[in-house]
Amino acid sequence: MVADTPLKRFIADYVSSPLAVIAAIGMALVILAAAFAEFVAPQNPYDLMTVNILDGSLEPGETGFDGFYYWLGSDEQGRDMYSAMIYGLRISLVVSVIAVTSAVFIGLTMGMIAAWKGGWVESLIMRIVDIQLSFPALFVALLLLAILGKGIDKVIIALILIQWAYFARAVRGAALVEIRKDYVMAARCAALSPHRILFRHVMPNCLPPVIVIATVQIANAIAIEAALSFLGVGVPITEPSLGLLIANGFDYLLSGRYWISFYPGVALLITLVLINLVGDHLRDILNPRMNK
Amino acid sequence: MLAYLIRRFGQAILVMSVMATIVFFGLYMVGNPVDLLINPEDDLLAQEAAIRRLGLDKPVHIQFFHFLGGLVQGDLGTSFVHNTPALELILSRLPATLELAFLGVFFALVIGIPLGMYAGLYPKSPVSRTIMAGSVIGFSTPNFWQGLMLIMLFAVFWRILPAGGRGETVDVLGIPVSFLTWDGLSHLFLPALNVAIYKISLVIRLTRAGTAEIGLQDYVKYARARGLSEWRVINVHILKNILIPVVTVVGLELGNVIAFAVVTETVFAWPGIGKLLIDSIGLLDRPVVVAYLMLTVFMFVMINLVVDIIYSLLDPRIRVKRRA
């Protein structure tokens, strides 16, 4: 096996599991579909010119008045469910990726500061992390949104505030180990600034656990956002994520129009399973204890 | 041990006060409950009287001092909407949530442990693979959508169970419970299953990992070598030892169940505290939200504490370490 650079070794390790490769490809397709929703979706569900209310509540596989084929049915307003799902997926993904990226940034900084400074700074940061993580994420998110109000930006803020703690805890653990290593001592002897040592020398070595947690947390963020939107404290009705699409279908479920909530849920489930499969495999190959 | 308990209590009270303060002022910033509560057709005099009755005419810091004053006397305020003490309101809804949570956890243990042990003992069998695949799906399925699908299958397509509500209740020691009547039980089953599915997956994973690990220990091999029946080896030597992590996690999960009951209760219109919280957030009913928060935080700290204590009772190694 050619294993000269860490990246090559990483790729070689990753492709060792066919299931994980399939999951990664699936994930890439999902991301592409969401990114290019305008081109992938057969209809723009939020363009009133293309949506016809006479085509409302069509069953999957029915054809509308203008010959448009609704293979996953349409909702009450005549929106093609398949198109609405792709657009909804985009909102779900954007919200969670922005939230997790910001949380990674804050968590990395806080975790490394805690490990580097020690003393009361470390105690304070880790105390906050411990206390926050002793509550379920959804509970914290609900209360944050109760005091922040509704809106996409508010959901993102709430997600960042509940997720940074996971990264801070993991980074502090990894950084504590790294700081005691010889290369950090060497860097200190070379009189490099703490800032440079932390961000150029220590941080890259703390990244593997962060990558694993970030993957899983993106799935969590999507699920939490969906639950919040379902509960009516998440994204506004004008920008429906997958969770809000499911919530909208709830009203029609009891009259047998199952497809309005069923298919967005399936899309949500598939997305979450794909991310979790990738995350599981990343954890296996990036876990230092499993390295041979 | 006493010092430890006192420190934990101190921490709990600190967290409760910080969170209550943030939520108190935060809800004040979001909006004025008066807009939702008073009748816009009333004349100004009546509107002002209503505002004064709710104590909302005073500046927010004065309102906060009133709240603190009430708190010291064990009064968490009166609901703006229901006009009953917030604590009383929450406590009247609590039995419904607890009933749901306990039944959910019961399902999780009764279904999860046997399946997990089977998967741990026979990891290669197709049945085990099916169990594990099922647990991955159970883990990933969003709770609320799962609830909708249960309603879709059992209430809409097959029409064998009701879609929501609590059904008939019987009073036991003055507390209404559903599980003693057929109608109540039929209303309870789907929400409890909805609460349970995630926990079942969790218990399966924990039990399988524990069983696989403990199955390799020397004392299990020795028990087999002594010629003990497989039944006894599994139920005494293995089960007892996997119960430790399972009890910890399920104990901790009880708090999670109560918090996530918000979702299940909304889906199934179950009249518990979670639904009360969502309704109160929507109506800016600040006393109820703050009271819910303080009760829940207190409950979480207590659950963590109790689990810690049970844990040390179940595993003598921890007690030894603490003494040392």
Side-chain angles (χ1 to χ4, degrees):
Chain A
M1 188 165 60
V2 203
D4 16 49
T5 71
L7 186 65
K8 272 189 190 161
R9 200 162 56 221
F10 172 74
I11 292 171
D13 274 346
Y14 191 86
V15 296
S16 66
S17 160
L19 183 64
V21 173
I22 295 171
I25 295 171
M27 202 51 237
L29 290 178
V30 167
I31 292 169
L32 283 178
F36 298 102
E38 285 87 350
F39 306 101
V40 179
Q43 183 196 63
N44 180 351
Y46 305 108
D47 177 4
L48 294 177
M49 296 297 286
T50 61
V51 175
N52 188 343
I53 194 142
L54 292 175
D55 290 336
S57 299
L58 292 178
E59 283 195 30
E62 276 193 276
T63 310
F65 279 98
D66 51 0
F68 186 87
Y69 178 66
Y70 292 88
W71 73 283
L72 294 181
S74 68
D75 71 0
E76 191 75 347
Q77 277 80 38
R79 286 190 288 242
D80 173 35
M81 280 318 296
Y82 172 63
S83 307
M85 277 160 54
I86 295 175
Y87 278 82
L89 190 64
R90 166 145 83 184
I91 291 164
S92 295
L93 282 177
V94 165
V95 167
S96 55
V97 170
I98 294 179
V100 172
T101 316
S102 319
V104 165
F105 186 74
I106 297 173
L108 258 175
T109 315
M110 296 306 255
M112 284 197 306
I113 289 175
W116 184 259
K117 291 259 181 191
W120 68 270
V121 178
E122 184 181 27
S123 313
L124 180 69
I125 294 178
M126 296 326 289
R127 242 324 68 135
I128 296 175
V129 167
D130 284 345
I131 289 173
Q132 205 189 318
L133 291 184
S134 67
F135 297 99
L138 186 72
F139 175 75
V140 180
L142 256 179
L143 289 168
L144 283 170
L145 284 171
I147 61 179
L148 290 170
K150 259 176 103 165
I152 282 200
D153 48 341
K154 310 287 172 36
V155 174
I156 293 177
I157 294 173
L159 286 172
I160 295 172
L161 286 176
I162 58 177
Q163 295 205 320
W164 74 276
Y166 296 96
F167 297 105
R169 178 180 276 181
V171 168
R172 172 182 163 267
L176 276 180
V177 175
E178 292 299 324
I179 281 172
R180 293 204 197 103
K181 287 190 178 167
D182 288 346
Y183 73 90
V184 175
M185 192 56 81
R188 275 179 147 171
C189 290
L192 297 181
S193 70
H195 186 269
R196 192 184 157 96
I197 298 178
L198 273 183
F199 286 90
R200 297 291 293 277
H201 296 248
V202 177
M203 194 183 83
N205 290 301
C206 299
L207 283 181
V210 171
I211 294 170
V212 174
I213 299 173
T215 323
V216 178
Q217 287 303 329
I218 284 184
N220 271 343
I222 294 176
I224 291 173
E225 182 275 318
L228 291 170
S229 298
F230 176 78
L231 292 173
V233 291
V235 298
I237 197 100
T238 46
E239 287 155 302
S241 63
L242 286 177
L244 199 58
L245 288 177
I246 298 172
N248 291 342
F250 187 22
D251 300 336
Y252 306 107
L253 188 71
L254 290 178
S255 55
R257 278 170 273 176
Y258 67 91
W259 57 90
I260 306 176
S261 338
F262 179 72
Y263 292 115
V266 173
L268 188 58
L269 176 59
I270 292 174
T271 312
L272 296 179
V273 170
L274 288 174
I275 299 177
N276 283 333
L277 283 174
V278 173
D280 272 357
H281 189 55
L282 284 179
R283 179 170 49 216
D284 288 346
I285 60 178
L286 291 177
N287 187 347
R289 273 183 294 175
M290 309 265 269
N291 273 1
K292 39 255 126 156
Chain B
M1 194 67 190
L2 190 66
Y4 172 73
L5 283 179
I6 291 171
R7 207 170 59 229
R8 289 287 288 263
F9 266 111
Q11 193 185 322
I13 287 166
L14 182 72
V15 173
M16 273 165 72
S17 5
V18 170
M19 284 179 101
T21 312
I22 294 173
V23 169
F24 192 94
F25 287 100
L27 280 180
Y28 182 81
M29 307 284 284
V30 172
N32 194 344
V34 167
D35 303 339
L36 298 166
L37 291 174
I38 54 173
N39 183 354
E41 311 244 306
D42 273 357
D43 57 41
L44 282 176
L45 219 60
Q47 291 189 1
E48 257 174 45
I51 295 171
R52 211 170 309 125
R53 188 171 48 77
L54 296 171
L56 291 168
D57 53 336
K58 303 188 181 68
V60 66
H61 62 273
I62 303 285
Q63 291 181 33
F64 187 64
F65 284 127
H66 277 282
F67 166 71
L68 286 185
L71 202 60
V72 177
Q73 298 159 32
D75 173 15
L76 288 171
T78 303
S79 160
F80 294 155
V81 180
H82 301 268
N83 210 11
T84 46
L87 191 62
E88 203 175 286
L89 190 64
I90 293 175
L91 290 180
S92 73
R93 301 284 197 96
L94 191 61
T97 299
L98 288 181
E99 192 175 17
L100 195 60
F102 283 124
L103 192 65
V105 168
F106 175 74
F107 278 164
L109 292 175
V110 169
I111 302 172
I113 291 182
L115 290 179
M117 283 186 80
Y118 184 88
L121 289 170
Y122 313 104
K124 296 267 161 64
S125 91
V127 178
S128 302
R129 281 168 197 266
T130 316
I131 292 173
M132 294 320 290
S135 89
V136 171
I137 293 175
F139 250 127
S140 306
T141 318
N143 202 261
F144 62 97
W145 184 68
Q146 207 180 74
L148 294 187
M149 293 305 107
L150 288 175
I151 291 181
M152 184 181 97
L153 288 177
F154 288 92
V156 180
F157 288 172
W158 300 334
R159 299 178 181 280
I160 47 177
L161 286 170
R166 195 172 177 196
E168 202 184 316
T169 57
V170 184
D171 280 10
V172 176
L173 305 171
I175 298 165
V177 293
S178 303
F179 71 93
L180 291 175
T181 63
W182 185 244
D183 182 55
L185 213 55
S186 70
H187 281 85
L188 186 57
F189 181 75
L190 285 185
L193 191 62
N194 183 217
V195 167
I197 289 178
Y198 180 84
K199 312 296 162 211
I200 294 175
S201 315
L202 189 72
V203 171
I204 287 179
R205 286 192 162 199
L206 282 172
T207 315
R208 187 191 73 130
T211 310
E213 197 184 305
I214 287 165
L216 299 174
Q217 300 277 328
D218 287 343
Y219 62 82
V220 174
K221 286 183 192 155
Y222 176 60
R224 289 212 168 96
R226 275 196 297 169
L228 296 182
S229 69
E230 191 62 19
W231 177 256
R232 196 176 154 79
V233 173
I234 291 172
N235 286 303
V236 177
H237 293 84
I238 295 180
L239 183 64
K240 247 189 166 174
N241 286 295
I242 53 174
L243 280 182
I244 295 166
V246 172
V247 165
T248 320
V249 175
V250 168
L252 286 170
E253 283 292 312
L254 195 62
N256 258 324
V257 170
I258 292 166
F260 271 85
V262 176
V263 173
T264 303
E265 285 174 9
T266 308
V267 173
F268 290 94
W270 184 262
I273 53 172
K275 189 144 190 343
L276 181 67
L277 175 71
I278 289 292
D279 296 344
S280 302
I281 288 177
L283 293 167
L284 299 172
D285 196 348
R286 191 176 61 204
V288 179
V289 178
V290 173
Y292 174 93
L293 170 87
M294 300 196 71
L295 269 184
T296 327
V297 171
F298 184 71
M299 193 174 64
F300 272 111
V301 177
M302 286 301 107
I303 289 174
N304 287 345
L305 192 63
V306 169
V307 168
D308 276 357
I309 293 170
I310 293 180
Y311 202 78
S312 72
L313 291 180
L314 276 179
D315 192 343
R317 280 172 296 181
I318 296 170
R319 257 176 296 166
V320 175
K321 227 181 276 166
R322 281 233 178 95
R323 266 191 220 127

